[in-house]
Amino acid sequence: RTYPFLCGLFTIHAKWYYYAFVALVESQAYYLIFVAFRYTSFTFVYVSDALAIPSAMIFTKLIMKRGYLWMHLIGGAICVAGIVMNTVGDMTLQDGLEHAASFEHIRGDLYAVLGAVLLGLDDVLSEILVTNFGGVREMLFMKGLFGALISILQICFFEIDNVRDLFGSNYGAPCDMSRRMVLFFTHIAFRALDVWGEMQFLLVSEAALLNLMLLT
């Protein structure tokens, strides 16, 4: 079954708001992770990404009714144990964040954890859409379109000052404008390749294994 999109200019194999929801989940996951860097340690954010593994397993079980062996559950439990141990250590770790109050530090930890959980959900929903509906190309187009729209709106409301700093003449900044632009567009290019590779993987495999390969 197909559905018209953009006044019939395109036909898609799932309702447009399915793709919009998946794009919203992914954009908020990465937004929370990037915001977490302002408040908590790089180590905690990096290790917290491992929570995407049990998150993907849980959402796969709930949504797709897929079963797992005990060895899979033990692996997920090890990931959670690592997060707990890292959180305890993070309470006393300054890691160059003397400017952040303890409450802000904890808030950064929560952002990182929630972002990782949403990453697991995003991969599960993406797997469903890629394998059961429109395939990789349709997923990339729809997710990219709605993701860009959501991100632009969010930037306008919450990050406009940071955008001005990025594209403005910020004297005393660690790097000049040309280097900032190179880093900015390089990040976009590699993120696009990353998403393409993930969608290709989900077409033949599953979300939990994707996160295991990316994060372990």
Side-chain angles (χ1 to χ4, degrees):
R1 186 177 179 180
T2 59
Y3 303 87
F5 181 65
L6 291 180
C7 300
L9 291 176
F10 303 96
T11 56
I12 56 178
H13 295 81
K15 296 180 179 180
W16 66 268
Y17 49 81
Y18 291 173
Y19 291 108
F21 180 72
V22 176
L24 176 65
V25 171
E26 183 180 32
S27 61
Q28 298 316 296
Y30 282 105
Y31 179 74
L32 289 170
I33 290 173
F34 284 127
V35 171
F37 282 110
R38 299 177 183 173
Y39 305 106
T40 190
S41 67
F42 175 86
T43 303
F44 184 85
V45 175
Y46 182 79
V47 176
S48 295
D49 282 348
L51 271 179
I53 298 171
S55 171
M57 295 174 66
I58 292 172
F59 284 117
T60 298
K61 177 68 174 178
L62 293 176
I63 300 174
M64 304 179 68
K65 309 301 181 182
R66 183 177 294 159
Y68 289 100
L69 301 175
W70 278 107
M71 64 180 65
H72 300 130
L73 301 179
I74 292 174
I78 292 174
C79 293
V80 175
I83 298 299
V84 173
M85 294 177 62
N86 195 73
T87 304
V88 173
D90 204 38
M91 291 179 180
T92 58
L93 179 66
Q94 296 299 317
D95 197 26
L97 294 172
E98 291 82 2
H99 63 283
S102 58
F103 174 77
E104 291 182 334
H105 209 166
I106 294 174
R107 183 171 66 174
D109 292 351
L110 293 176
Y111 285 163
V113 170
L114 182 56
V117 172
L118 290 178
L119 281 180
L121 174 60
D122 167 60
D123 289 333
V124 174
L125 297 177
S126 296
E127 178 187 345
I128 295 173
L129 288 173
V130 167
T131 56
N132 298 329
F133 293 94
V136 173
R137 290 186 179 181
E138 183 174 305
M139 183 64 175
L140 291 174
F141 172 75
M142 297 296 291
K143 198 175 189 181
L145 175 63
F146 285 112
L149 293 175
I150 293 169
S151 298
I152 290 171
L153 289 174
Q154 195 160 4
I155 286 172
C156 292
F157 281 102
F158 301 109
E159 303 293 336
I160 192 65
D161 292 335
N162 291 320
V163 173
R164 291 195 185 101
D165 291 339
L166 176 64
F167 292 99
S169 298
N170 192 0
Y171 296 103
C175 56
D176 57 21
M177 175 62 70
S178 60
R179 187 176 180 184
R180 273 181 274 170
M181 292 301 98
V182 169
L183 293 173
F184 178 71
F185 288 107
T186 300
H187 172 76
I188 292 176
F190 278 95
R191 271 297 300 152
L193 289 173
D194 175 54
V195 174
W196 177 83
E198 289 179 9
M199 296 304 105
Q200 293 286 352
F201 184 90
L202 291 175
L203 187 62
V204 297
S205 188
E206 63 161 348
L209 183 57
L210 170 66
N211 283 282
L212 281 169
M213 294 183 65
L214 290 175
L215 301 171
T216 57

